[in-house]
Amino acid sequence: MARIVTVGAAQMGPIAKEETRNEVIDRLVAHLREGKRRGCDLVVFPELTLTTFFPRWFYEDQADIDRWFESEMPGPETKRLFDEAKALGLAFKLGYAELIEEEGRTRHFNTAILVDKSGAITGKYRKIHLPGHAEHEPWRQFQHLEKRYFEPGNLGFRVFDALGGRFGMCICNDRRWPETYRVMGLQGVEMVLLGYNTPVHNPPAPEHDAFGWHHNTLVMQSGAYQNATWVVGVAKGGTEEGVPSIAGSQIISPAGITVAETLTERDELISAACDLDECASYKASVFAFERHREPANYGLITGTRGVVTPEEAERIEAEHRARWEADGA
Ligand code: ING
């Protein structure tokens, strides 16, 4: 029995700084209609899909930052997107900058939502791994101020039942960290939806630039195979406000094979009929976590943020192992 979800990866080309929300939403609606034409159930948009990638600039005033955020979802402009998807019978994943009053204070998150075919927000994720820096660094050709403009996500890596399967989300830099996929893998995820804005040039390490495309594919294919899940990675690519960013959106099977990839750096939708049951044979054999994992030996994974000395490692691991054995797990 196959559980097919036909998914569309809706790659966005550059979004100009002056482009209005409505002009962007016209492009997103065009993607939805192409997705419908291709028989999609779900259309996946990139990270921060409603505006240009604003963390590339330093802003002093909070008002200049907040203009890039959505304080309602759906809001006056984005309601049209929700209505169109519902009319077409499509689910979609949208990335946007979320401004919200929570726990008595104003919060700023780099957020993704999963909206089901009825138009209901059925899942939300807030980006946990924020790359870049928090202070203005004028030496850089362009800034990457996500650590200044966003808080780390506070919802964890959750998975959501939708479209007859188990879906997870992450955002951009999250895809480079194996922990991201593994936490979702340990919840039985069958398809991870992610978007990214990835400049070709990384100012602190220009010698990596030539391998950016390779690293993009490497981390998503690894995450898919090592957690027996589909991965849908969707770029905002091309040269946006003078900054070249990689494209390479792709749909990746649980075998770690890219089954569809964009050919351009522009708005381009690729699609694939993904059988969620393809995950089963990997979850039942090589990645049968319950049978094969040895968590008593993984104490350093959550016991430290950074590198420790061998002596410190011994101490952390011994404590972890003792707790693990005490739990009798
Ligand atoms: N962007 C980049 C990413 O992780 C980056 C940051 C660029 C990291 C180049 C390493 C190299 O894909 C976001 N938005 O996280």
Side-chain angles (χ1 to χ4, degrees), residues 12 25 27 39 62 67 72 87 94-95 106 108 112 129 142 147 154 167 187 248 251 261 286 296 306 310 320 322-323:
M12 294 295 285
I25 288 166
R27 293 167 59 184
Q62 192 60 46
R67 63 175 278 218
E72 284 180 270
L94 179 71
T106 303
H108 295 76
H129 297 99
F142 48 87
K147 289 184 190 295
N154 62 348
F167 290 77
Q187 299 170 77
I251 299 169
E261 182 163 8
V286 59
H320 171 77
R323 270 199 308 277

Side-chain angles (χ1 to χ4, degrees), residues 47 53 127 131 144 146 172-173 175-176 197-199 202:
E47 170 192 32
F53 187 72
K127 185 174 183 179
H144 198 118
E146 290 194 63
C172 205
N173 195 257
R175 78 188 185 286
R176 299 180 190 275
N197 290 262
T198 300
N202 189 23

Side-chain angles (χ1 to χ4, degrees), residues 73-204:
M73 188 49 71
E77 291 108 339
T78 46
K79 186 177 179 313
R80 177 159 64 97
L81 183 69
F82 279 65
D83 293 347
E84 182 77 19
K86 185 173 179 181
L88 294 171
L90 289 171
F92 66 96
K93 188 283 282 183
L94 179 71
Y96 66 96
E98 179 187 16
L99 177 64
I100 187 166
E101 297 302 318
E102 207 171 77
E103 295 166 4
R105 61 194 172 92
T106 303
R107 319 288 294 273
H108 295 76
F109 296 106
N110 184 340
T111 296
I113 51 173
L114 178 58
V115 181
D116 69 19
K117 292 186 176 183
S118 78
I121 297 176
T122 191
K124 177 183 271 193
Y125 172 73
R126 289 166 171 167
K127 185 174 183 179
I128 288 170
H129 297 99
L130 296 172
H133 47 106
E135 299 307 323
H136 188 204
E137 296 184 5
W139 60 271
R140 293 169 178 257
Q141 285 176 32
F142 48 87
Q143 305 297 300
H144 198 118
L145 286 161
E146 290 194 63
K147 289 184 190 295
R148 185 182 187 88
Y149 299 150
F150 302 116
E151 285 180 59
N154 62 348
L155 301 176
F157 299 108
R158 299 274 67 82
V159 298
F160 312 97
D161 290 332
L163 301 168
R166 187 151 287 189
F167 290 77
M169 292 183 280
C170 67
I171 299 176
C172 205
N173 195 257
D174 287 322
R175 78 188 185 286
R176 299 180 190 275
W177 301 96
E179 295 89 344
T180 300
Y181 303 95
R182 183 48 48 90
V183 171
M184 290 189 273
L186 287 167
Q187 299 170 77
V189 74
E190 295 173 313
M191 184 176 279
V192 175
L193 312 176
L194 68 91
Y196 55 89
N197 290 262
T198 300
V200 170
H201 175 55
N202 189 23

Side-chain angles (χ1 to χ4, degrees), residues 7 135 301:
V7 63
E135 299 307 323
I301 300 291

